Amino acid sequence: MRLRQRGAALILFATILVMGFAWYMVGALGKAPVANSEREVKTALALQEAKRALLSYIVQYAARPDTAQPGQIPCPESLTLSQPGETHSCSATSIVVGRFPWKTLGVDPVYDGEGEPLWLMTRGFRDPPINFATAAGLTVTTGGVATPVVAIIIAPGRPRNTASLAGTLTGCTKQNQMVDGRNQATLVPANFIECGVTTGSITSPGNADWTNDRVIAITAAEWADAIAPAIADRLQRQVAPAMYDFYNTTSLASWGQRFFPNASTFSTPASNSLCGVVDTFSGMPPTATVASGTCSTNWDSISVSGLGGLLSPGACFLDATGIVCDFSMLLPGVATPQINITAPRVGYAYRYVDTSQITLQVTSPVPLLPSTATVNVLPGTVSSITGRGTFRFQITFPLLAALQEVRVRIPFATDALAADARSAWYVTNSWDRFTYYGISQAASHDAAGTQCTPGGNLTNCLTVSGLPASTPPGDKRLVLVLMGRALPGKTWGANLDDYLDPIDPLAPVPADNSTAGDNQYTASTVTATFNDRIAVCPFKLQNHAGTDVTLCN
Amino acid sequence: MQLKLAQRGFSLVELAVTLAIVALLIGGAMATLSSQVETRNNDETARRLHAAADAIVAFAIVNRRLPCPARFAATHSSGLESFCTAATGTCSGSETTTVQTHGNCSNFYDGFVPAVSVGASPVDDTGFAVDAWGNRLRYAVARNKAGCTTSPGTNHVFTAEGNMRTYGVGCRPNDLDVCTTAACAARVVSQDTAVFVVFSTGKNGAITGAHGADEAENIDGDAVFVNRTPSGADSAGGTYDDLMVIVPVGVVYSKLISAGVLP
């Protein structure tokens, strides 16, 4: 009997024990709890990915030719969960908090280490003007240093219960986030984010008793550096061509002469009048939109001829939007008077006469509604000395009876850049205050014998070095320099070299744009000590086939 | 006699019980192991997809264009980009691995990661990048464009060298459509966003007839793709285990801007 009990049961028992242990270990490995450090790493990676995606979207959105407010920051998701991942219209000025709009940005949903969707907090950067000077409305404090930021991405972490904490902490809410249905219906930000929802100010890392949120922010400087290339691209592809078309077509049509308006004398851009000045060919762009004061180009005199005995001229008077003249028919017939009307400072501003806005109205004996007048524009003039412009046109009245009275309204000259869809964003968002403007005198209304003809006489053209080989350096009539944000160690003051960058021997093309009036500019790769970006006319690139593609003539 | 008694061994009952217990334990362990292997394969495939996407963007920085997909069809491109010799139009019988400056890919939506051209790995013995199950990583790139500030006409923007700069960073793709179902009831990302996608057909990639309707949409050669959570055969769109990385055009532009290639 003893021989039958040699230990087989023990072997069996040991086998089962080993197998059981192995089974447990394999199972345990599959379900091993993730360490806190791993969760933190995952959260950090998710925040970085979200920041990259957000900045990339802002850049591409800014570069689109139809974006009216380049640099606009997308709104978060709606709190009503109606369109997961998509931006939702949001306040232009308030603090806006919602989940990260991953779908609009074109990325997968982004989750933190606890599996919670990320959140986005923004404030402003929705309505114009949006530019380098737009104030960041949020704050992230790290190591006691508060940094203004334009957007904060938040990883909410696990829900917490801070309701029973003693005392208060500025900006933080006492809240039990462990509530049923917090992911249903309308989201309550305080159920996910402990601090900063109402103040827009977050400390990172925050007080561990109060918050477990992790954040990453986009600083104003990061935002500015990101959108600058997109703005520069639109300067070259939209604003410079719009200015060139004013030179080539619009100015000729209204004032009888091709010209780029003179520049405004350079001074602190934020307070510059943006009024063109006599004999000034580089400085700030002459883009003031005011209709009165020292920048005014409003009509100030008018004369009428060619009445042909049919008409009796009446009084002309100025109103808020233009000049109005009344006429009386002496005899029945079709009158075609010629009107000469003049305005100051035309040579110093991007202004033209929109003939579609010239109206004619029969006012007596039976008043009729005004209608667009039939106008034949005659060659105008611009004084090379004063810049005063004369707009001349012949107007054709309809067949009228004797004693009928007619009113003609000629609106003030229109702002060409604001009226052009390609450049409206530029003036609306005051990017003109971040642009240095240079023209060749030969392309001004006061050429005074100077010459700049691309493909011909280049004696007085501007020279821009560092351009692609497809475009010559010495035939430029127009240069726009996007003055990047103030470089480290600089502040935007009143000096030109606070904005345009002086000689940078480290740049791929040794660059210097801050010598005023030398007609020499440099386009170069942006470095830590050089961030000017240049748009020019003429400018062309080549496509894959080596064919020239003209961006500006 | 005593020796014989010493070698009696176990009874049938003992053996049966032992084997049953061992079988149960091994079965349980195998199921857990199998699950772990699948998780690891999924993670590894996701990693390879992201690496392939990064390699494609790096290629774009160096070559100032996105690569064309590799092909394993009429002409086997061995992991190289596959172009059409014609500058425009749908390619028919004129595929080549010689780089064509016009950027007209032999097929923009029905191809593979050009692993040899972009330097992705690992690859199979024919030069194609593969996922953790050995299936080739697929790749589709935008052919059409919209919203360019400077009109490119019929020229390709994203796959022709230098054209992203020439025609501007305002250009955006407008053909790749990544949806949640084959019928595209909802989109995964907004339209005009994805400039290329890289994806794996999952574990069942090489199994004929194993694809649900949503998976089939990803390999039917058109510009509509499905990216959604995995599901079994009983779900509305059928079996789905594809893994996809979607790259928005803004990300490509940003990286090219950072590298000084654009604008």
Side-chain angles (χ1 to χ4, degrees), chain A residues 452-515:
Chain A
C452 177
T453 308
N457 189 329
L458 306 179
T459 306
N460 301 105
C461 291
L462 311 177
T463 298
V464 181
S465 54
L467 293 173
S470 52
T471 194
D475 65 349
K476 307 308 170 204
R477 287 185 285 221
L478 171 69
V479 172
L480 300 174
V481 188
L482 179 66
M483 306 182 290
R485 68 183 177 88
L487 291 168
K490 290 253 182 188
T491 54
W492 278 342
N495 301 318
L496 185 58
D497 63 6
D498 292 336
Y499 301 88
L500 296 187
D501 300 325
I503 291 176
D504 178 9
L506 299 178
V509 178
D512 170 24
N513 288 321
S514 65
T515 306

Side-chain angles (χ1 to χ4, degrees), chain A residues 2-53:
Chain A
R2 289 179 71 88
L3 284 173
R4 288 192 203 127
Q5 295 172 5
R6 288 184 62 209
L10 188 61
I11 294 169
L12 271 175
F13 180 72
T15 305
I16 291 168
L17 202 63
V18 168
M19 294 296 287
F21 180 71
W23 182 80
Y24 170 79
M25 286 303 292
V26 170
L29 277 175
K31 292 179 276 189
V34 181
N36 279 338
S37 58
E38 285 181 57
R39 279 195 287 267
E40 292 284 357
V41 167
K42 189 181 175 195
T43 295
L45 291 174
L47 289 170
Q48 287 171 4
E49 181 189 342
K51 179 176 176 177
R52 267 197 304 272

